[in-house]
């Protein structure tokens, strides 16, 4: 697993260990990763570094003997953007994906693990009217171009590959919801921007289970899979649900210009959106534990 110390990665590693799998964490710094994931280390997860003191490339050794690799690595998309950080967003994803791909391709054909590689619903661009499924074409903005390059790097891997286009991940302990909830609890909550922009979301538990399903059934989930709940919402809908769940008012909207001043071009992540549906997951028989945003924030 790459990106194992992140919001989704930690939960995935915990799930895999609980299910009895042997987990190998691929990271830049094995010592830092162990400190960030003490329970996983105690449960038997093994850590492999790319940039080691000796110069050895441990990822090649780690991937040998595995049945599947999950690639979640990439710099946080929610940080403020400038031109320098946009390059970091691209480089961090392409570099990690290429390293994983090279390590898998270096193995004999019959020893290569399957690959489950992350992407994002930003692939589709932004729209308030259109509906997007896995067969929809990419958008033309920065995030769409990033996702196109990211997915192309994963497709260089000569093995069974699943590309997971992930929506906004919700869970009370972190991610988007972890940032929104405290604001509402302090009576300062309200929609971001106009509020009518789409939010294609997924609960972290469902995302983790979908990643595991793709690992356990690589041929069934091969190709592109949208990791979004069956019922997308709007920013207004998300904030109304959070207000109900916290018994707090939904009264203080944050204007778009304020977010742009704070986040730069990165404000597009919350000010713009797209309506994305999980056709492939549903066709494969995947069952979502959280189908509505009300369930996810309750």
């Amino acid at each position: 697993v790459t990106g194992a110390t992140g919001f989704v990665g930690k939960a995935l590693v915990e799930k895999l260990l609980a299910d009895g799998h042997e987990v190998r964490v691929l990271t830049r710094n094995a010592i830092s990763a162990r400190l960030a994931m003490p329970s996983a280390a105690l449960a038997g997860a093994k850590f492999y570094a790319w940039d080691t003191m000796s110069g050895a490339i441990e990822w090649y050794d780690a991937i040998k003997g595995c049945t599947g690799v999950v690639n979640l690595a990439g710099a946080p998309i929610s940080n403020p953007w400038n031109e320098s950080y946009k390059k970091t967003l691209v480089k961090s994803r392409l570099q990690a994906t290429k390293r994983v791909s090279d390590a898998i391709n270096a193995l004999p054909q019959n020893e290569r693990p399957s690959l489950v590689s992350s992407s994002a619903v930003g692939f589709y661009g932004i729209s308030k009217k259109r509906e997007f499924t896995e067969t929809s074409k990419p958008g033309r903005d920065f995030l769409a171009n990033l996702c196109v390059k990211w997915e192309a790097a994963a497709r260089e891997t000569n093995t069974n590959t699943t590309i997971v286009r992930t929506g906004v991940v919700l869970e009370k302990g972190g991610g988007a919801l972890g940032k929104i909830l405290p604001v509402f609890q302090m009576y300062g909550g309200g929609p971001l921007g106009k509020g009518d922009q789409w939010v294609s979301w997924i609960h972290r538990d469902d995302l983790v289970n979908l990643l595991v399903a793709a690992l356990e059934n690589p041929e069934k989930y091969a190709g592109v899979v949208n990791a979004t709940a069956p019922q997308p919402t709007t920013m207004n809908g998300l904030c109304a649900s959070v207000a109900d769940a916290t018994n707090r008012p939904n009264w203080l909207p944050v204007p778009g210009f304020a977010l742009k001043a704070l986040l730069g071009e990165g404000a597009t992540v919350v000010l713009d959106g797209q309506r994305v549906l999980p056709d492939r997951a549903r066709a494969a028989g995947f069952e979502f534990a959280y189908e509505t945003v009300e369930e996810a924030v309750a």
Side-chain angles (χ1 to χ4, degrees), residues 8-77:
V8 175
K10 283 183 179 178
L12 174 63
V13 169
E14 287 178 11
K15 167 72 173 169
L16 291 170
L17 288 169
D19 287 351
H21 294 285
E22 179 186 334
V23 178
R24 299 175 182 179
V25 172
L26 311 182
T27 181
R28 285 177 300 173
N29 188 312
I31 296 172
S32 295
R34 283 192 189 93
L35 292 173
M37 307 173 66
S39 59
L42 288 170
K46 297 177 181 177
F47 294 79
Y48 295 80
W50 182 270
D51 301 311
T52 62
M53 295 294 287
S54 64
I57 302 171
E58 296 179 358
W59 285 21
Y60 285 88
D61 298 329
I63 286 173
K64 187 174 183 179
C66 287
T67 55
V69 177
V70 183
N71 176 39
L72 302 175
I77 209 86

Side-chain angles (χ1 to χ4, degrees), residues 86 90 93-94 119-120 122-125 138-152 265:
K86 284 164 70 176
V90 175
R93 284 160 176 77
L94 299 191
S119 182
F123 173 92
Y124 301 110
R140 297 180 179 179
D141 58 17
F142 169 75
L143 275 182
N145 291 331
L146 166 57
C147 291
V148 167
K149 293 175 183 176
W150 195 6
E151 293 182 13
E265 195 179 334

Side-chain angles (χ1 to χ4, degrees), residues 59-180:
W59 285 21
Y60 285 88
D61 298 329
I63 286 173
K64 187 174 183 179
C66 287
T67 55
V69 177
V70 183
N71 176 39
L72 302 175
I77 209 86
S78 57
N79 287 359
W81 296 4
N82 53 30
E83 289 306 311
S84 175
Y85 194 69
K86 284 164 70 176
K87 291 177 182 176
T88 299
L89 289 173
V90 175
K91 183 180 178 181
S92 62
R93 284 160 176 77
L94 299 191
Q95 190 176 65
T97 304
K98 185 179 187 304
R99 287 174 174 177
V100 167
S101 180
D102 288 348
I104 292 175
N105 289 340
L107 293 170
Q109 182 85 42
N110 63 344
E111 294 181 22
R112 291 174 189 166
S114 62
L115 173 64
V116 180
S117 196
S118 187
S119 182
V121 294
F123 173 92
Y124 301 110
I126 57 177
S127 176
K128 290 183 179 178
K129 296 181 180 179
R130 292 182 61 196
E131 230 174 46
F132 299 98
T133 68
E134 287 86 353
T135 59
S136 301
K137 293 181 179 179
R140 297 180 179 179
D141 58 17
F142 169 75
L143 275 182
N145 291 331
L146 166 57
C147 291
V148 167
K149 293 175 183 176
W150 195 6
E151 293 182 13
R155 290 193 178 97
E156 291 296 317
T157 316
N158 297 316
T159 191
N160 195 307
T161 301
T162 302
I163 291 170
V164 182
R165 292 178 184 153
T166 305
V168 177
V169 183
L170 300 182
E171 208 282 330
K172 293 178 184 177
L177 202 53
K179 294 178 180 178
I180 293 172

